[in-house]
Amino acid sequence: MSRRIPKSREPDTDTPSVEKTVVIGDVSLDQALRPSKWADYIGQEHIKNNLHVLLTAAKERGHLPEHILFYGPPGLGKTTLSYLIAKETGAQIKVTSGPAIEKVGDLASVLTNLSPGDILFIDEIHRLNKTVEEVLYPAMEAGSIDIIIGKGPSARTVQLELPPFTLIAATTRIALLSAPLRSRFSGGVYRLEFYTNEEISRIIKRSAKILGIDIDTEASGEIARRSRFTPRTANYLLKRCRDYAQINKKEISLAMVLEALKLLNIDSMGLTITDRQILETIIHKFSGGPVGLSTIAAATSEEEATLEEVNEPYLMQMGLLERTARGRAVTRLAYEHLSLQVPEGLQEKLL
Ligand code: ADP
């Protein structure tokens, strides 16, 4: 397959230039907060530097960028990066997700409806089923797919040539991706890291400006410290503090932020009720662990996937939970944070 940039994407051609991005639904508040320029995309310097090299080199050679995979916990900016890449390359982005592509026919229809040079963004790619995944391999590698038409003895395989495209995929659970799929992301597999408090503070300041909120450094710093090192959470907490300030007819100050966060049950370490419930369950029901994830899920009535994607990475990052070969165990800090006494027998063993 030629992966050269299609004529329609080159400037000064007669054909009209391809739309920049597909806007789905109304331009909501969240979309207004999503950075639309690299300069506004704070942090993840390592990824931005690598993407700069990848995109510039591809552009200079007149080729499309190779397929890219982003992974990491939700809300860290995977989708935003994909939109920025589309903008940078002047490509149209088509957005879908693993669970939306149920059958091979769904994938065939998505792929054959691409225009040359498009970016296809597949969110939650770990939720693609195996049969669909296997059809994606030749699409990524050779730019074609094999479709079986008909049934029984009259069935025949037809090879469909696809327009050249770049696949950008995102996942919160890289471990669920098969090795053959992972290896086909020849443009790179990038892990998004949690943000620093300083980076989150900058994101909050930028969002506050867009939302027209006057917020001082103390108040934004407090929101940042409780944002789970995650931009989406930071924006969410900022919006809730704004609501609280509005209905109480107050200015956004540190005192007001503390009140609003208390009402939301977000504690001083940024833990939610569910995070605390997980720690308390391990401590009270399983003597501090180790205990398997499925057992914790059953005991807390939470989805195993949510625990693994959302709660566990943050609790581990904060040093409250550790993952051992035999399951999950709380640390000494977890007892301290919950103001619980470490039992005698555990004094020596705890990290
Ligand atoms: P993911 O796809 O990883 O779940 P998103 O790309 O949807 O995360 O990001 C969630 C929101 O967080 C975005 O809408 C954006 O407002 C904000 N955001 C994410 N990353 C950044 C960043 N690096 N700088 C500024 N805002 C960001």
Side-chain angles (χ1 to χ4, degrees), residues 44 71 86 104 118 122 143 155 199 232 235 238 245-246 276 291:
Q44 310 291 352
Y71 74 98
V104 170
D118 276 359
I122 306 185
E199 288 165 346
R232 182 180 291 142
N235 286 339
L238 177 68
Q246 183 187 319
R276 288 193 298 275
V291 54

Side-chain angles (χ1 to χ4, degrees), residues 187-236:
V189 176
Y190 301 99
R191 171 187 151 141
L192 279 89
E193 301 291 342
F194 279 124
Y195 292 70
T196 63
N197 277 345
E198 192 269 327
E199 288 165 346
I200 293 286
S201 291
R202 278 162 59 203
I203 291 173
I204 293 173
K205 291 227 170 85
R206 172 182 172 271
S207 300
K209 218 178 197 174
I210 295 170
L211 298 173
I213 304 171
D214 213 2
I215 186 164
D216 62 28
T217 312
E218 266 192 323
S220 65
E222 193 57 40
I223 298 179
R225 272 190 292 283
R226 301 192 192 200
S227 293
R228 312 172 78 85
F229 315 119
T230 304
R232 182 180 291 142
T233 311
N235 286 339
Y236 165 76

Side-chain angles (χ1 to χ4, degrees), residues 13-32:
T13 54
D14 295 333
T15 40
S17 69
V18 183
E19 254 178 87
K20 290 276 183 222
T21 51
V22 177
V23 178
I24 298 164
D26 293 336
V27 179
S28 66
L29 214 53
D30 286 337
Q31 273 172 305

Side-chain angles (χ1 to χ4, degrees), residues 30 33-35 40-44 73-81 195 203 206 231-232 235:
D30 286 337
L33 297 181
R34 193 187 285 285
D40 289 337
Y41 191 93
I42 292 156
Q44 310 291 352
L76 291 191
K78 300 181 286 298
T79 309
T80 310
L81 273 179
Y195 292 70
I203 291 173
R206 172 182 172 271
R232 182 180 291 142
N235 286 339

Side-chain angles (χ1 to χ4, degrees), residues 267-324:
D267 75 15
S268 59
M269 268 185 143
L271 304 196
T272 59
I273 297 185
T274 310
D275 295 318
R276 288 193 298 275
Q277 206 188 354
I278 293 166
L279 297 177
E280 281 162 1
T281 303
I282 302 176
I283 290 174
H284 296 309
K285 295 199 177 144
F286 303 101
S287 317
V291 54
L293 191 69
S294 53
T295 314
I296 304 173
T300 55
S301 313
E302 286 292 332
E303 292 266 332
E304 203 173 319
T306 314
L307 295 188
E308 202 170 3
E309 285 167 36
V310 181
N311 305 95
E312 192 178 73
Y314 184 64
L315 292 172
M316 287 187 3
Q317 181 79 13
M318 294 304 278
L320 297 163
L321 190 75
E322 55 157 356
R323 207 190 258 172
T324 71

